Amino acid sequence: MTQVFYSSTLFGAMTLAAAIDDGRFGPRAGRRLLLVSNNAAIPEITPGVDETEGFAAIRSRFDDVRSWNEIVAPLHPSDWKARQAELPMLGRLLRSDLGLGDGPAELIVESIAVPPSRTLAALIRDCPITVYSDGLMSYGPTRDPLPSEIAGRITRLLHLDLVPGLAPLLLREAGVAPQAVPDAAFAEVIGAIHAPADLEGEAVILGQYLSALGILTGDEESAMHTAMLRAVAARGHTTVLFKPHPAAGRRHARRMRAAAADLGVDLRVAGETVPAEVCVKALRPRLVVGCFSTALITSHRLFGAQVATMGCETVLERLAPYENSNRVPATIIDATLPRLAEDGTITDPPPADLPGLVEAVGYCMQSEQHPELREATARYLAEHGAQPRYFKNRRLAALGLADAPPPCRAGRPSALGRLRRALAR
């Protein structure tokens, strides 16, 4: 029978390859089909997973590769989901198109709470589901409640052991057991991907796509990258590699070049589709800087690189709503990694009870899914206080874990009050 794998990123496909090599999907007795999806805002101008150079190194793990974008075109894969009444018909059509017969032996997906994974789980029925996580989001709670028909089929959560000793919150409410994919298996996959010959840099700056997510404006994200560049220059690094996020394009790199010229820094730019881990493995840089990229953790764990974060406090302040699934990754990075200042100094974060902090933040994000964490959250807050960078007072008050904030002072009406008066006028 067929095992159907789904991935939207090269990092995710690398995680699948490592899990396959580690024997997590058994011997290769049947067909292995990989569905790839390009979830970029404009997928037509962004390379997909199977169009990257690094994909060739892991292609042999799969018998067939199909594009989910082509199947659902002209609709965007992150937006489309079948209506309930259409599920049986569309499910049959999909099984026929993919050559699945009566159905696959197993469905393996990422980000189960949202399309395309949630859409695939609804269409491809009557088989067990394995969820794999390709980053730090496995340590945060499930983004949205899952229907019982999907949740009841999930048998395990595969994740990289990025933070040893920290148990994932993802799918815990459904009783799903997490299984860590060994570092060695993932490192071997990285080792099989050839780095471009022109890579160069004493320090590496990791770009993300915070403006595309609405966390920062484009100018603010560019300013953050420029601040990182000034910081590494202040530490004496004269050749710097900027690694853009695959979904961000090169607009940030163009804005950084002028700043690099003023600082006397030779700025190199890696291809968007080259994994950050491949760059770090090839260069062995003296410093890797980013905001809250998972690559900060993998660079340190797998290759022993010195890493530092910059801008996490701003991101934690801007994330909205509080349930934003980037909150736990940003919290982990901020609480555990050294912090880089614009003058080049690096300071360690205060000591943290990371398991307690992550579970407390996770409870505040999704209290209804994790009522069992309420007492532990109250104890954590009593011992450590309501640290403003991680907890919002209004959120705590809504959960009965803090006093309600004082009302707006007279003469300074709230935004809602101003809106009401404007509408009345």
Side-chain angles (χ1 to χ4, degrees):
M1 292 187 69
T2 301
Q3 291 173 314
V4 178
F5 298 82
Y6 164 76
S7 179
S8 65
T9 65
L10 181 57
F11 190 95
M14 291 161 58
T15 305
L16 287 176
I20 290 171
D21 294 348
D22 195 52
R24 299 306 176 94
F25 297 102
R28 193 168 186 165
R31 175 173 167 243
R32 286 177 174 163
L33 168 66
L34 176 65
L35 274 175
V36 295
S37 175
N38 187 340
N39 298 339
I42 310 177
E44 293 80 6
I45 62 172
T46 307
V49 178
D50 55 332
E51 297 171 325
T52 62
E53 293 181 7
F55 183 74
I58 60 178
R59 172 66 176 82
S60 61
R61 275 80 167 184
F62 308 99
D63 299 293
D64 299 300
V65 178
R66 293 286 304 276
S67 168
W68 183 244
N69 291 63
E70 292 179 1
I71 292 173
V72 303
L75 304 173
H76 194 284
S78 295
D79 298 330
W80 180 75
K81 57 183 178 180
R83 291 179 291 187
Q84 190 68 30
E86 299 171 338
L87 289 175
M89 175 190 67
L90 292 177
R92 288 194 303 270
L93 291 173
L94 181 61
R95 290 196 301 271
S96 175
D97 184 57
L98 298 179
L100 301 180
D102 293 334
E106 185 177 12
L107 176 63
I108 302 98
V109 297
E110 62 186 24
S111 304
I112 186 64
V114 295
S117 290
R118 186 161 175 165
T119 302
L120 285 167
L123 291 171
I124 301 177
R125 315 175 84 170
D126 303 322
C127 70
I129 299 173
T130 289
V131 175
Y132 74 94
S133 175
D134 60 355
L136 290 168
M137 286 189 182
S138 63
Y139 297 106
T142 311
R143 175 173 166 176
D144 297 306
L146 294 171
S148 57
E149 190 278 328
I150 293 178
R153 291 160 52 201
I154 302 174
T155 59
R156 57 181 175 166
L157 167 67
L158 296 178
H159 68 100
L160 297 175
D161 195 19
L162 298 171
V163 188
L166 188 61
L169 272 174
L170 182 66
L171 297 172
R172 188 186 294 183
E173 75 282 359
V176 177
Q179 299 178 12
V181 177
D183 289 350
F186 190 65
E188 286 186 14
V189 172
I190 295 172
I193 299 176
H194 297 295
D198 58 350
L199 283 183
E200 188 175 351
E202 303 168 346
V204 173
I205 295 176
L206 302 172
Q208 291 181 250
Y209 58 117
L210 306 178
S211 55
L213 295 175
I215 300 173
L216 302 177
T217 67
D219 289 341
E220 288 171 334
E221 188 168 13
S222 292
M224 179 183 291
H225 293 151
T226 302
M228 293 177 183
L229 185 63
R230 281 196 291 267
V232 297
R235 294 185 62 81
H237 302 304
T238 57
T239 304
V240 177
L241 180 73
F242 177 59
K243 172 61 186 73
H245 190 279
R250 296 207 166 197
R251 63 185 184 280
H252 295 305
R254 290 195 295 268
R255 296 184 179 186
M256 290 177 68
R257 292 188 188 278
D262 292 340
L263 293 167
V265 172
D266 182 8
L267 181 70
R268 308 295 178 92
V269 181
E272 300 99 311
T273 60
V274 181
E277 291 78 9
V278 172
C279 297
V280 174
K281 179 180 181 296
L283 295 178
R284 303 289 175 167
R286 291 160 56 191
L287 180 64
V288 179
V289 183
C291 186
F292 65 97
S293 171
T294 296
L296 289 170
I297 297 289
T298 53
S299 296
H300 179 66
R301 275 189 60 76
L302 300 180
F303 309 113
Q306 181 184 14
V307 298
T309 177
M310 178 182 277
C312 254
E313 185 173 9
T314 300
V315 168
L316 286 166
E317 177 64 31
R318 295 290 187 85
L319 284 175
Y322 191 85
E323 301 93 320
N324 190 301
S325 53
N326 289 297
R327 186 170 299 281
V328 164
T331 296
I332 291 172
I333 293 292
D334 183 74
T336 60
L337 296 190
R339 299 166 183 173
L340 177 65
E342 202 164 333
D343 64 0
T345 58
I346 293 179
T347 56
D348 290 329
D353 170 14
L354 188 63
L357 172 61
V358 169
E359 290 197 341
V361 170
Y363 172 76
C364 292
M365 290 173 65
Q366 299 289 348
S367 59
E368 293 185 1
Q369 293 186 41
H370 296 282
E372 77 283 358
L373 296 179
R374 181 176 179 83
E375 291 186 9
T377 300
R379 285 196 302 271
Y380 179 88
L381 294 171
E383 293 174 9
H384 302 280
Q387 299 141 292
R389 64 200 300 144
Y390 304 130
F391 302 97
K392 304 303 178 188
N393 196 46
R394 291 185 182 277
R395 188 71 170 186
L396 294 177
L399 294 171
L401 294 169
D403 295 332
C408 295
R409 289 179 295 173
R412 299 186 62 183
S414 66
L416 181 58
R418 291 194 299 271
L419 176 60
R420 285 172 175 163
R421 278 194 291 275
L423 291 174
R425 288 197 299 270

